[in-house]
Amino acid sequence: AGIVQHALRDTDAAGRPVPTRLPRWPAYYELADYLDGRFELAAASGLAFRTHILRQILPMPLDIAFASDAHLITDALLLTKARNLPRMLGYHRLHGDNNWAGFYASARKLETVIEVRKALRHHLLPRLRSTGLDYSPFFRQVEDMEDQRYEIFLAMRRGRRDEAFRLWREHGRRFRKT
């Protein structure tokens, strides 16, 4: 394996442990697991990479540095598999300034999440296709549903309740058919 992923104990802003669920990871993840939507990622501090893997995937594009963990592991999975250690070997401090923490409550963070998700797919898809691979239909549907969910929350955060309701109805009809 060129990647090792381990669980992290969540702590509050003062460093006190908070209840944390140990992920139910398989022993290894491969690219197919990610492409099929069967993938749970540790935060960046729960990831370790072999140097020769990092040399092949760095430098990281600046437009996705906000999601460094997702970019690093998805690009690395094109080259190797990930070993999952089902033990908490580090800490993950949760506070209001985490990139992903509390993004539902902030229009600015929601906008960033939406843009980063698009950028991640923009960077990964050509690399996948160059190897003859693509996302599974299930993965595409889940990603589409997540994108739509963020758009609805963003409309709400911007105070556009009518737009949020319209989006919710449109997407509800669309996804009900699948």
Side-chain angles (χ1 to χ4, degrees):
I3 310 162
V4 174
Q5 172 173 251
H6 65 81
L8 298 167
R9 163 89 49 212
D10 288 339
T11 67
D12 64 16
R16 294 180 299 260
V18 297
T20 306
R21 177 186 65 82
L22 189 63
R24 298 182 66 94
W25 290 329
Y28 289 91
Y29 276 135
E30 296 183 9
L31 183 60
D33 296 307
Y34 175 77
L35 297 177
D36 287 339
R38 300 182 316 263
F39 193 87
E40 189 175 355
L41 177 63
S45 52
L47 299 171
F49 297 84
R50 291 189 182 271
T51 304
H52 76 275
I53 297 295
L54 288 176
R55 283 190 183 120
Q56 295 176 67
I57 62 176
L58 292 175
M60 184 179 317
L62 293 178
D63 60 337
I64 56 176
F66 183 82
S68 59
D69 47 0
H71 168 71
L72 290 171
I73 201 154
T74 54
D75 269 22
L77 284 171
L78 285 164
L79 307 168
T80 188
K81 57 184 169 182
R83 174 75 167 106
N84 297 314
L85 302 178
R87 296 186 305 273
M88 292 184 192
L89 299 175
Y91 293 92
H92 182 234
R93 193 168 140 257
L94 303 173
H95 52 81
D97 291 329
N98 295 85
N99 284 341
W100 295 96
F103 66 85
Y104 286 113
S106 163
R108 181 187 54 77
K109 283 188 175 185
L110 275 165
E111 290 167 353
T112 302
V113 166
I114 290 166
E115 291 307 312
V116 167
R117 288 174 54 81
K118 288 178 186 174
L120 279 168
R121 288 190 299 262
H122 171 77
H123 287 284
L124 183 59
L125 194 54
R127 294 190 65 186
L128 284 174
R129 289 189 173 153
S130 73
T131 63
L133 299 171
D134 204 342
Y135 299 116
S136 71
F138 174 76
F139 182 90
R140 285 183 181 279
Q141 182 178 6
V142 168
E143 286 290 294
D144 191 23
M145 291 171 79
E146 284 288 295
D147 289 344
Q148 301 312 317
R149 184 167 62 112
Y150 295 140
E151 291 289 344
I152 292 167
F153 278 114
L154 180 58
M156 290 294 291
R157 287 290 154 233
R158 289 178 173 162
R160 299 177 186 159
R161 291 178 167 283
D162 291 344
E163 178 184 348
F165 183 69
R166 180 186 55 75
L167 289 169
W168 176 78
R169 283 185 32 225
E170 285 175 13
H171 301 310
R173 279 193 294 268
R174 193 169 106 225
F175 292 124
R176 196 173 317 132
K177 295 175 185 173
T178 57

